């Protein structure tokens, strides 16, 4: 499976000590703009970026499209570049925790998931035992990702149904 990630899931899953789940999702790529955004959030990112995350260049016309989306104020640089890369690579999944990026990508026919969805997917696929999945959800709720109490409760109910 081809997966393109923007900054949010890399940051949030990292904070939740669950970044390695992305490696199980498939071939993970990100554009240079996301790599640079990660450096802003984690100064040691260049040395700690997992080898299984590939930084991919944007080709024309995808680079142009990303610049236009950003210039129009539709998305920020990393999100625009990541959506464009997802289209360029014909990615199976685009990962974002940003609502605007999610809605925009869906409008283009791109399948979108977020950090919470990755944890639930990993649990459903048997990559996490129930207790591990619950701890991962709790750590994600304590990360810089805002999750409403309603959404967290729904995720925990989904875990109960899985196990």
């Amino acid at each position: 499976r081809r997966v393109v990630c923007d900054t949010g899931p890399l940051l949030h899953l990292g904070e939740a000590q669950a970044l390695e789940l992305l490696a199980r999702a498939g071939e993970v790529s990100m554009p240079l703009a996301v790599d640079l955004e990660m450096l802003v959030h984690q100064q040691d990112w260049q040395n700690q970026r997992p080898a299984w995350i590939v930084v991919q260049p944007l080709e024309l016309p995808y680079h142009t499209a990303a610049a236009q989306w950003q210039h129009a104020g539709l998305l920020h640089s990393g999100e625009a570049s990541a959506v464009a890369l997802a289209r360029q690579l014909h990615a199976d999944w685009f990962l974002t925790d940003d609502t605007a990026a999610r809605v925009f990508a869906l409008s283009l026919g791109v399948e979108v998931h977020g950090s919470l969805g990755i944890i639930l997917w990993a649990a459903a696929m048997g990559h996490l035992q129930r207790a591990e999945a619950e701890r991962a959800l709790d750590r994600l709720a304590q990360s810089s990702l805002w999750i409403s109490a309603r959404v967290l409760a729904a995720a925990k109910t989904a875990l109960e149904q899985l196990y």
Side-chain angles (χ1 to χ4, degrees):
R1 170 181 311 121
R2 287 185 180 159
V3 178
V4 172
C5 200
D6 82 0
T7 306
L10 296 172
L11 182 65
H12 303 135
L13 289 170
E15 291 170 348
Q17 301 167 9
L19 186 61
E20 73 283 349
L21 295 176
L22 289 182
R24 296 177 180 230
E27 299 170 15
V28 180
S29 297
M30 67 178 173
L32 179 59
V34 169
D35 197 37
L36 295 174
E37 284 181 1
M38 285 302 296
L39 279 172
V40 170
H41 294 287
Q42 295 179 344
Q43 292 179 354
D44 57 346
W45 173 251
Q46 210 70 9
N47 297 324
Q48 292 189 352
R49 178 183 355 113
W52 46 263
I53 300 176
V54 179
V55 179
Q56 295 272 7
L58 276 177
E59 300 169 359
L60 292 174
Y62 301 99
H63 182 274
T64 303
Q68 290 171 339
W69 299 334
Q70 184 182 353
H71 182 71
L74 298 172
L75 299 171
H76 297 289
S77 175
E79 295 150 353
S81 296
V83 170
L85 184 62
R87 295 191 74 209
Q88 175 182 309
L89 298 178
H90 303 285
D92 299 294
W93 290 357
F94 168 56
L95 303 181
T96 185
D97 290 328
D98 182 83
T99 302
R102 175 182 295 268
V103 170
F104 188 78
L106 286 170
S107 77
L108 297 174
V110 177
E111 185 174 339
V112 182
H113 299 280
S115 297
L116 188 89
I118 290 297
I119 292 172
L120 292 176
W121 168 83
M125 297 305 294
H127 299 306
L128 293 173
Q129 299 300 318
R130 182 178 182 163
E132 294 172 315
E134 288 174 353
R135 285 193 300 272
L137 281 180
D138 289 337
R139 288 191 307 266
L140 187 62
Q142 297 301 314
S143 76
S144 61
L145 175 63
W146 182 82
I147 303 173
S148 72
R150 181 185 59 79
V151 169
L152 184 59
K156 289 189 176 191
T157 299
L159 278 184
E160 289 174 19
Q161 293 171 348
L162 285 172
Y163 296 103

